[in-house]
């Protein structure tokens, strides 16, 4: 493999995770897989980039060129694999600001989370960019979360940076064949994909959050 291309393995484990991609106003849903926007946001936090800043903008433009694979890795309980479930929280926030600038006494939202989920993520692309991300995740400047601040990782997110995809996969799934795991992968052309997700970020600025579609295919484990 070219020395300019490397593979970064991430481990996403925690009692709660939330990967939003279609949230609307008071309802904050979660997808069943990590989103590329959430992984990009995690990296920006680790690097200490401010929302909407020039460093964030440049980073997201480079991050778009990375190919992402998300893998569902079942968690084992005492006797059998733990079932992943969606939990919905009735959430209240006081003293929020309305669109016209007034203060609202109490704002109610419904927020979804995944429980007992575990994922592996492989990012493939520029060796320089992935080395920068790996260093930041090893010693993050700001806190990193599994989608939301309430979703704290229970294991180090950085699994390792490898020269080959096969070695990165081994860090996450050992010698098990990838085909036995459910996974979601970026595709190069529209025709290769089966779904489009609005989770490719161009800006995380609070007043101009911008996302474009990402074409993916989901393959189910055998």
């Amino acid at each position: 493999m070219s020395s300019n291309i490397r593979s970064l393995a991430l481990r996403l484990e925690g009692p709660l995770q939330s990967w939003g991609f279609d949230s609307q106003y008071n309802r904050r849903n979660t997808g069943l897989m990590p989103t590329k926007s959430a992984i990009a946001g995690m990296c920006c936090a680790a690097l200490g980039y401010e929302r909407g800043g020039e460093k964030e903008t440049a980073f997201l433009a480079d991050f778009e060129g990375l190919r992402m694979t998300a893998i569902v890795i079942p968690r084992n309980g005492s006797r059998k694999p733990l079932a992943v479930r969606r939990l919905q929280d009735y959430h209240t926030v006081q003293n929020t600001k309305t669109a016209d600038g007034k203060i609202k006494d109490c704002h109610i939202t419904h927020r979804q989370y995944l429980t007992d989920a575990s994922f592996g993520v492989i990012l493939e692309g520029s060796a320089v960019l992935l080395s920068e991300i790996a260093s930041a995740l090893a010693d993050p400047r700001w806190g990193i979360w599994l989608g939301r601040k309430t979703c704290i990782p229970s294991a180090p997110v950085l699994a390792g940076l490898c020269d080959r995809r096969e070695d990165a996969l081994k860090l996450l799934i050992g010698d098990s064949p990838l085909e036995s795991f459910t996974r979601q992968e970026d595709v190069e052309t529209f025709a290769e994909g089966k779904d489009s997700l609005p989770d490719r970020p161009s800006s995380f600025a609070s007043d101009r959050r911008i996302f474009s579609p990402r074409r993916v295919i989901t393959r189910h484990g055998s």
Side-chain angles (χ1 to χ4, degrees):
M1 178 175 287
S2 167
S3 60
N4 295 325
I5 302 296
R6 303 189 77 183
S7 295
L8 179 65
L10 308 180
R11 184 183 296 108
L12 308 178
E13 294 182 3
L16 293 175
Q17 303 188 31
S18 189
W19 309 109
F21 69 97
D22 67 347
S23 298
Q24 294 293 330
Y25 305 107
N26 297 339
R27 296 200 172 271
R28 314 289 178 84
N29 299 328
T30 180
L32 297 177
M33 290 278 196
T35 58
K36 196 166 188 176
S37 56
I39 300 303
M42 180 187 298
C43 295
C44 284
L47 289 159
Y49 293 160
E50 294 185 6
R51 284 181 178 268
E54 292 182 2
K55 289 184 177 180
E56 178 199 89
T57 300
F59 174 81
L60 293 179
D62 292 337
F63 191 86
E64 185 175 335
L66 299 179
R67 183 176 179 180
M68 176 170 143
T69 300
I71 308 163
V72 178
I73 303 176
R75 295 181 65 185
N76 292 321
S78 57
R79 297 182 181 178
K80 59 182 180 180
L82 298 174
V84 177
R85 294 183 172 87
R86 274 196 253 211
L87 169 72
Q88 183 156 296
D89 177 40
Y90 180 79
H91 190 88
T92 59
V93 183
Q94 286 187 308
N95 300 324
T96 58
K97 186 177 288 188
T98 63
D100 58 3
K102 297 179 180 179
I103 298 298
K104 187 177 182 180
D105 181 57
C106 183
H107 185 73
I108 299 172
T109 63
H110 300 268
R111 304 188 182 196
Q112 288 185 347
Y113 300 87
L114 299 179
T115 64
D116 294 323
S118 176
F119 301 98
V121 166
I122 301 290
L123 296 174
E124 300 172 79
S126 164
V128 173
L129 178 61
L130 291 177
S131 295
E132 182 182 10
I133 292 172
S135 296
L137 290 173
D139 185 17
R141 182 171 178 183
W142 296 336
I144 55 178
W145 329 106
L146 305 180
R148 292 200 187 115
K149 287 186 178 180
T150 51
C151 303
I152 301 172
S154 59
V157 169
L158 177 64
L161 180 61
C162 303
D163 292 332
R164 302 189 310 147
R165 172 182 169 89
E166 293 78 10
D167 294 333
L169 285 170
K170 194 171 227 183
L171 292 175
L172 300 174
I173 60 176
D175 293 322
S176 301
L178 180 61
E179 292 72 23
S180 64
F181 295 87
T182 296
R183 67 270 186 205
Q184 189 176 80
E185 303 172 282
D186 288 353
V187 295
E188 294 185 5
T189 67
F190 188 89
E192 291 180 81
K194 297 294 184 182
D195 201 2
S196 296
L197 302 175
D199 71 344
R200 194 169 63 181
S202 298
S203 173
F204 289 126
S206 299
D207 60 344
R208 51 184 175 86
R209 293 169 62 86
I210 303 172
F211 302 89
S212 57
R214 175 173 65 108
R215 194 69 173 163
V216 300
I217 185 169
T218 301
R219 306 181 193 274
H220 297 281
S222 56

